[in-house]
Short mmCIF file of all heavy atoms in Angstrom, two decimals:
data_model
loop_
_atom_site.label_atom_id
_atom_site.label_comp_id
_atom_site.label_asym_id
_atom_site.label_seq_id
_atom_site.Cartn_x
_atom_site.Cartn_y
_atom_site.Cartn_z
N ARG A 240 -8.40 -16.14 -23.23
CA ARG A 240 -8.09 -17.03 -22.13
C ARG A 240 -6.67 -17.50 -22.14
O ARG A 240 -6.05 -17.72 -23.15
CB ARG A 240 -9.03 -18.32 -22.37
CG ARG A 240 -10.49 -18.00 -22.12
CD ARG A 240 -10.69 -17.89 -20.64
NE ARG A 240 -11.96 -17.21 -20.32
CZ ARG A 240 -13.18 -17.79 -20.36
NH1 ARG A 240 -13.24 -19.05 -20.70
NH2 ARG A 240 -14.25 -17.06 -20.13
N TYR A 241 -6.17 -17.73 -20.94
CA TYR A 241 -4.78 -18.34 -20.73
C TYR A 241 -5.07 -19.63 -19.94
O TYR A 241 -6.04 -19.70 -19.17
CB TYR A 241 -3.93 -17.43 -19.82
CG TYR A 241 -3.14 -16.31 -20.66
CD1 TYR A 241 -3.70 -15.05 -20.81
CD2 TYR A 241 -1.91 -16.59 -21.16
CE1 TYR A 241 -3.04 -14.10 -21.53
CE2 TYR A 241 -1.17 -15.55 -21.84
CZ TYR A 241 -1.81 -14.39 -21.97
OH TYR A 241 -1.13 -13.46 -22.68
N ASN A 242 -4.12 -20.50 -20.07
CA ASN A 242 -4.14 -21.69 -19.13
C ASN A 242 -3.23 -21.31 -17.93
O ASN A 242 -2.00 -21.42 -17.87
CB ASN A 242 -3.41 -22.80 -19.79
CG ASN A 242 -3.43 -24.08 -18.99
OD1 ASN A 242 -3.60 -23.96 -17.69
ND2 ASN A 242 -3.16 -25.22 -19.51
N TRP A 243 -4.00 -20.65 -16.90
CA TRP A 243 -3.28 -20.05 -15.81
C TRP A 243 -2.46 -21.01 -14.98
O TRP A 243 -1.39 -20.74 -14.53
CB TRP A 243 -4.24 -19.36 -14.90
CG TRP A 243 -4.92 -18.21 -15.59
CD1 TRP A 243 -6.09 -17.99 -16.01
CD2 TRP A 243 -4.22 -16.89 -15.88
NE1 TRP A 243 -6.31 -16.76 -16.64
CE2 TRP A 243 -5.09 -16.17 -16.58
CE3 TRP A 243 -2.91 -16.49 -15.76
CZ2 TRP A 243 -4.82 -14.88 -17.05
CZ3 TRP A 243 -2.57 -15.24 -16.16
CH2 TRP A 243 -3.48 -14.46 -16.81
N GLY A 244 -3.11 -22.21 -14.76
CA GLY A 244 -2.37 -23.20 -13.90
C GLY A 244 -0.93 -23.45 -14.37
O GLY A 244 0.02 -23.46 -13.59
N ARG A 245 -0.82 -23.63 -15.64
CA ARG A 245 0.48 -23.92 -16.19
C ARG A 245 1.35 -22.73 -16.47
O ARG A 245 2.55 -22.65 -16.06
CB ARG A 245 0.28 -24.76 -17.49
CG ARG A 245 1.56 -25.19 -18.11
CD ARG A 245 1.27 -26.22 -19.23
NE ARG A 245 0.25 -25.71 -20.14
CZ ARG A 245 0.58 -24.94 -21.29
NH1 ARG A 245 1.83 -24.56 -21.53
NH2 ARG A 245 -0.40 -24.51 -22.12
N GLU A 246 0.78 -21.65 -17.07
CA GLU A 246 1.59 -20.59 -17.61
C GLU A 246 1.98 -19.61 -16.55
O GLU A 246 3.03 -19.00 -16.59
CB GLU A 246 0.82 -19.95 -18.79
CG GLU A 246 0.73 -20.96 -19.95
CD GLU A 246 -0.41 -20.69 -20.81
OE1 GLU A 246 -1.35 -19.89 -20.54
OE2 GLU A 246 -0.41 -21.29 -22.03
N SER A 247 1.04 -19.31 -15.57
CA SER A 247 1.42 -18.32 -14.63
C SER A 247 2.58 -18.75 -13.66
O SER A 247 3.45 -17.94 -13.33
CB SER A 247 0.19 -18.02 -13.72
OG SER A 247 0.69 -17.37 -12.51
N GLY A 248 2.64 -20.08 -13.36
CA GLY A 248 3.74 -20.58 -12.62
C GLY A 248 5.07 -20.39 -13.21
O GLY A 248 5.97 -19.88 -12.56
N ALA A 249 5.20 -20.63 -14.46
CA ALA A 249 6.54 -20.51 -15.21
C ALA A 249 6.78 -19.03 -15.19
O ALA A 249 8.06 -18.55 -15.03
CB ALA A 249 6.38 -21.07 -16.56
N LEU A 250 5.83 -18.14 -15.54
CA LEU A 250 6.15 -16.68 -15.63
C LEU A 250 6.61 -16.20 -14.23
O LEU A 250 7.57 -15.46 -14.18
CB LEU A 250 4.86 -15.94 -16.02
CG LEU A 250 5.09 -14.47 -16.05
CD1 LEU A 250 4.61 -13.89 -17.46
CD2 LEU A 250 4.39 -13.73 -14.96
N GLN A 251 5.99 -16.63 -13.27
CA GLN A 251 6.42 -16.11 -11.91
C GLN A 251 7.73 -16.58 -11.50
O GLN A 251 8.57 -15.85 -10.98
CB GLN A 251 5.42 -16.70 -10.84
CG GLN A 251 4.07 -16.03 -10.87
CD GLN A 251 3.24 -16.42 -9.60
OE1 GLN A 251 3.68 -16.28 -8.47
NE2 GLN A 251 2.10 -17.00 -9.89
N GLU A 252 8.13 -17.83 -11.90
CA GLU A 252 9.47 -18.27 -11.55
C GLU A 252 10.46 -17.62 -12.33
O GLU A 252 11.62 -17.17 -11.88
CB GLU A 252 9.53 -19.84 -11.85
CG GLU A 252 8.75 -20.59 -10.88
CD GLU A 252 8.82 -22.08 -11.15
OE1 GLU A 252 9.43 -22.58 -12.17
OE2 GLU A 252 8.24 -22.91 -10.31
N MET A 253 10.22 -17.26 -13.63
CA MET A 253 11.14 -16.58 -14.52
C MET A 253 11.31 -15.09 -13.99
O MET A 253 12.36 -14.59 -14.11
CB MET A 253 10.69 -16.61 -15.95
CG MET A 253 10.79 -17.98 -16.61
SD MET A 253 10.20 -17.91 -18.24
CE MET A 253 10.12 -19.68 -18.67
N MET A 254 10.22 -14.54 -13.45
CA MET A 254 10.30 -13.20 -12.96
C MET A 254 11.23 -13.18 -11.67
O MET A 254 12.10 -12.25 -11.68
CB MET A 254 8.90 -12.75 -12.50
CG MET A 254 8.60 -11.36 -12.66
SD MET A 254 6.76 -11.06 -12.78
CE MET A 254 6.17 -11.69 -11.16
N ALA A 255 11.10 -14.12 -10.88
CA ALA A 255 12.00 -14.24 -9.75
C ALA A 255 13.43 -14.40 -10.13
O ALA A 255 14.36 -13.90 -9.50
CB ALA A 255 11.58 -15.36 -8.86
N GLU A 256 13.72 -15.06 -11.23
CA GLU A 256 15.03 -15.37 -11.68
C GLU A 256 15.67 -14.04 -12.30
O GLU A 256 16.85 -13.78 -12.13
CB GLU A 256 15.11 -16.53 -12.66
CG GLU A 256 14.75 -17.84 -11.91
CD GLU A 256 14.91 -19.14 -12.75
OE1 GLU A 256 15.56 -19.04 -13.85
OE2 GLU A 256 14.49 -20.18 -12.26
N HIS A 257 14.83 -13.25 -12.92
CA HIS A 257 15.27 -11.93 -13.39
C HIS A 257 15.53 -11.02 -12.18
O HIS A 257 16.51 -10.21 -12.26
CB HIS A 257 14.34 -11.29 -14.38
CG HIS A 257 14.48 -11.91 -15.75
ND1 HIS A 257 14.05 -13.22 -16.13
CD2 HIS A 257 15.09 -11.50 -16.90
CE1 HIS A 257 14.33 -13.44 -17.32
NE2 HIS A 257 14.94 -12.43 -17.86
N ALA A 258 14.71 -11.12 -11.16
CA ALA A 258 15.04 -10.37 -9.95
C ALA A 258 16.29 -10.74 -9.38
O ALA A 258 17.11 -9.85 -8.95
CB ALA A 258 13.84 -10.50 -8.90
N ALA A 259 16.57 -11.97 -9.43
CA ALA A 259 17.92 -12.51 -8.92
C ALA A 259 19.10 -11.86 -9.74
O ALA A 259 20.15 -11.52 -9.15
CB ALA A 259 17.99 -13.96 -8.96
N GLY A 260 18.90 -11.65 -11.00
CA GLY A 260 19.95 -11.02 -11.85
C GLY A 260 20.15 -9.62 -11.46
O GLY A 260 21.29 -9.15 -11.38
N VAL A 261 19.06 -8.86 -11.15
CA VAL A 261 19.19 -7.53 -10.78
C VAL A 261 19.98 -7.35 -9.52
O VAL A 261 20.87 -6.62 -9.25
CB VAL A 261 17.83 -6.83 -10.63
CG1 VAL A 261 17.84 -5.46 -9.99
CG2 VAL A 261 17.17 -6.77 -11.99
N ILE A 262 19.65 -8.29 -8.46
CA ILE A 262 20.26 -8.17 -7.18
C ILE A 262 21.76 -8.54 -7.32
O ILE A 262 22.57 -7.88 -6.65
CB ILE A 262 19.48 -9.16 -6.19
CG1 ILE A 262 18.12 -8.65 -5.95
CG2 ILE A 262 20.26 -9.38 -4.89
CD1 ILE A 262 17.22 -9.64 -5.19
N SER A 263 22.01 -9.51 -8.12
CA SER A 263 23.42 -9.88 -8.28
C SER A 263 24.17 -8.80 -9.07
O SER A 263 25.27 -8.54 -8.67
CB SER A 263 23.44 -11.15 -9.22
OG SER A 263 24.75 -11.40 -9.68
N ALA A 264 23.52 -8.06 -10.03
CA ALA A 264 24.25 -7.01 -10.76
C ALA A 264 24.71 -5.89 -9.82
O ALA A 264 25.72 -5.24 -10.13
CB ALA A 264 23.29 -6.47 -11.74
N VAL A 265 24.09 -5.68 -8.71
CA VAL A 265 24.44 -4.54 -7.79
C VAL A 265 25.03 -5.26 -6.50
O VAL A 265 25.12 -4.53 -5.46
CB VAL A 265 23.29 -3.61 -7.46
CG1 VAL A 265 22.88 -2.86 -8.60
CG2 VAL A 265 21.99 -4.36 -6.89
N ASN A 266 25.42 -6.43 -6.64
CA ASN A 266 26.05 -7.15 -5.44
C ASN A 266 25.32 -7.01 -4.12
O ASN A 266 25.90 -6.85 -3.07
CB ASN A 266 27.50 -6.51 -5.26
CG ASN A 266 28.41 -6.69 -6.46
OD1 ASN A 266 28.50 -7.84 -7.03
ND2 ASN A 266 29.04 -5.61 -6.91
N GLY A 267 24.04 -7.13 -4.30
CA GLY A 267 23.18 -7.14 -3.12
C GLY A 267 22.99 -5.79 -2.51
O GLY A 267 22.31 -5.63 -1.44
N LYS A 268 23.42 -4.68 -3.12
CA LYS A 268 23.24 -3.32 -2.56
C LYS A 268 21.90 -2.82 -3.06
O LYS A 268 21.75 -2.06 -4.02
CB LYS A 268 24.34 -2.35 -3.01
CG LYS A 268 25.66 -2.69 -2.17
CD LYS A 268 26.73 -1.76 -2.62
CE LYS A 268 26.68 -0.38 -1.94
NZ LYS A 268 27.96 0.33 -2.05
N ILE A 269 20.87 -3.23 -2.41
CA ILE A 269 19.48 -3.05 -2.79
C ILE A 269 18.56 -2.93 -1.51
O ILE A 269 18.86 -3.68 -0.54
CB ILE A 269 18.98 -4.11 -3.82
CG1 ILE A 269 17.75 -3.74 -4.55
CG2 ILE A 269 18.99 -5.51 -3.22
CD1 ILE A 269 17.43 -4.53 -5.82
N PHE A 270 17.54 -2.14 -1.58
CA PHE A 270 16.64 -2.08 -0.50
C PHE A 270 15.21 -1.92 -1.06
O PHE A 270 15.00 -1.39 -2.18
CB PHE A 270 16.97 -0.83 0.42
CG PHE A 270 16.31 -0.87 1.74
CD1 PHE A 270 16.87 -1.48 2.82
CD2 PHE A 270 15.09 -0.26 1.94
CE1 PHE A 270 16.23 -1.55 4.04
CE2 PHE A 270 14.42 -0.28 3.16
CZ PHE A 270 14.98 -0.97 4.19
N PHE A 271 14.19 -2.38 -0.31
CA PHE A 271 12.87 -2.48 -0.75
C PHE A 271 11.84 -1.74 0.15
O PHE A 271 11.81 -1.97 1.34
CB PHE A 271 12.47 -4.00 -0.89
CG PHE A 271 13.43 -4.75 -1.77
CD1 PHE A 271 14.49 -5.45 -1.20
CD2 PHE A 271 13.25 -4.81 -3.16
CE1 PHE A 271 15.37 -6.16 -2.04
CE2 PHE A 271 14.13 -5.52 -3.95
CZ PHE A 271 15.15 -6.18 -3.38
N PHE A 272 11.06 -0.98 -0.58
CA PHE A 272 9.85 -0.41 0.16
C PHE A 272 8.57 -0.95 -0.59
O PHE A 272 8.45 -0.69 -1.78
CB PHE A 272 9.73 1.13 0.10
CG PHE A 272 10.77 1.80 1.10
CD1 PHE A 272 12.03 2.22 0.62
CD2 PHE A 272 10.38 2.09 2.38
CE1 PHE A 272 12.85 2.86 1.53
CE2 PHE A 272 11.22 2.65 3.26
CZ PHE A 272 12.50 3.05 2.86
N ASN A 273 7.72 -1.60 0.11
CA ASN A 273 6.37 -2.06 -0.51
C ASN A 273 5.29 -1.13 0.08
O ASN A 273 5.09 -1.04 1.34
CB ASN A 273 6.08 -3.48 -0.27
CG ASN A 273 6.78 -4.42 -1.21
OD1 ASN A 273 7.53 -3.98 -2.05
ND2 ASN A 273 6.57 -5.69 -1.01
N PHE A 274 4.48 -0.54 -0.82
CA PHE A 274 3.37 0.37 -0.40
C PHE A 274 2.06 -0.34 -0.50
O PHE A 274 1.62 -0.69 -1.61
CB PHE A 274 3.37 1.68 -1.17
CG PHE A 274 4.54 2.54 -0.67
CD1 PHE A 274 5.81 2.38 -1.17
CD2 PHE A 274 4.30 3.51 0.27
CE1 PHE A 274 6.79 3.22 -0.78
CE2 PHE A 274 5.28 4.39 0.64
CZ PHE A 274 6.55 4.21 0.13
N LEU A 275 1.41 -0.65 0.65
CA LEU A 275 0.16 -1.32 0.65
C LEU A 275 -0.91 -0.27 0.77
O LEU A 275 -1.60 -0.06 1.80
CB LEU A 275 0.04 -2.34 1.86
CG LEU A 275 0.89 -3.58 1.74
CD1 LEU A 275 2.37 -3.36 1.90
CD2 LEU A 275 0.45 -4.69 2.69
N ILE A 276 -1.03 0.52 -0.23
CA ILE A 276 -1.87 1.76 -0.26
C ILE A 276 -2.51 1.74 -1.65
O ILE A 276 -1.93 1.39 -2.64
CB ILE A 276 -0.99 2.96 -0.15
CG1 ILE A 276 -0.43 3.04 1.26
CG2 ILE A 276 -1.74 4.28 -0.48
CD1 ILE A 276 0.73 4.05 1.43
N ASN A 277 -3.84 2.15 -1.78
CA ASN A 277 -4.50 2.09 -3.08
C ASN A 277 -4.31 0.70 -3.63
O ASN A 277 -3.79 0.54 -4.82
CB ASN A 277 -3.92 3.13 -4.09
CG ASN A 277 -4.27 4.50 -3.65
OD1 ASN A 277 -5.38 4.73 -3.16
ND2 ASN A 277 -3.36 5.44 -3.91
N ILE A 278 -4.66 -0.35 -2.93
CA ILE A 278 -4.48 -1.70 -3.38
C ILE A 278 -5.54 -2.05 -4.44
O ILE A 278 -6.73 -2.38 -4.06
CB ILE A 278 -4.50 -2.68 -2.20
CG1 ILE A 278 -3.41 -2.25 -1.12
CG2 ILE A 278 -4.16 -4.13 -2.69
CD1 ILE A 278 -3.53 -2.93 0.17
N THR A 279 -5.16 -1.96 -5.68
CA THR A 279 -6.14 -2.17 -6.76
C THR A 279 -6.09 -3.63 -7.30
O THR A 279 -5.11 -4.34 -6.98
CB THR A 279 -5.88 -1.21 -7.89
OG1 THR A 279 -4.37 -1.22 -8.12
CG2 THR A 279 -6.31 0.20 -7.50
N LYS A 280 -7.12 -4.04 -7.96
CA LYS A 280 -7.21 -5.35 -8.55
C LYS A 280 -6.12 -5.60 -9.58
O LYS A 280 -5.55 -6.66 -9.60
CB LYS A 280 -8.56 -5.59 -9.23
CG LYS A 280 -8.74 -7.00 -9.72
CD LYS A 280 -10.14 -7.26 -10.30
CE LYS A 280 -10.11 -8.63 -10.86
NZ LYS A 280 -11.54 -8.90 -11.52
N ASN A 281 -5.83 -4.55 -10.33
CA ASN A 281 -4.76 -4.71 -11.36
C ASN A 281 -3.55 -3.69 -11.04
O ASN A 281 -3.78 -2.81 -10.21
CB ASN A 281 -5.28 -4.36 -12.64
CG ASN A 281 -6.23 -5.42 -13.24
OD1 ASN A 281 -5.76 -6.60 -13.49
ND2 ASN A 281 -7.52 -5.19 -13.27
N CYS A 282 -2.51 -3.96 -11.74
CA CYS A 282 -1.29 -3.10 -11.46
C CYS A 282 -1.31 -1.82 -12.22
O CYS A 282 -2.28 -1.49 -12.92
CB CYS A 282 -0.03 -3.92 -11.93
SG CYS A 282 0.19 -4.09 -13.67
N ASP A 283 -0.28 -0.91 -12.03
CA ASP A 283 -0.24 0.38 -12.54
C ASP A 283 -0.01 0.45 -14.06
O ASP A 283 0.09 1.56 -14.56
CB ASP A 283 0.85 1.20 -11.78
CG ASP A 283 0.54 1.27 -10.26
OD1 ASP A 283 -0.59 1.09 -9.92
OD2 ASP A 283 1.53 1.61 -9.53
N CYS A 284 0.26 -0.66 -14.73
CA CYS A 284 0.39 -0.72 -16.10
C CYS A 284 -0.89 -0.51 -16.79
O CYS A 284 -0.96 -0.27 -18.12
CB CYS A 284 0.96 -2.13 -16.53
SG CYS A 284 2.61 -2.33 -15.90
N GLY A 285 -2.03 -0.46 -16.09
CA GLY A 285 -3.32 -0.02 -16.65
C GLY A 285 -3.96 0.95 -15.65
O GLY A 285 -3.35 1.60 -14.90
N SER A 286 -5.29 0.90 -15.67
CA SER A 286 -5.99 1.86 -14.81
C SER A 286 -6.02 1.42 -13.34
O SER A 286 -6.30 2.20 -12.37
CB SER A 286 -7.43 1.99 -15.24
OG SER A 286 -8.12 0.86 -14.97
#
Side-chain angles (χ1 to χ4, degrees):
R240 290 284 160 82
Y241 277 91
N242 180 345
W243 291 109
R245 180 167 56 84
E246 291 155 349
S247 165
L250 178 131
Q251 289 190 55
E252 290 179 357
M253 291 180 188
M254 211 159 62
E256 294 189 10
H257 281 74
V261 170
I262 293 168
S263 170
V265 292
N266 299 312
K268 284 177 86 168
I269 192 162
F270 195 87
F271 304 92
F272 284 95
N273 277 1
F274 285 82
L275 290 72
I276 291 165
N277 289 324
I278 305 169
T279 45
K280 182 175 178 182
N281 288 293
C282 72
D283 299 341
C284 297
S286 67

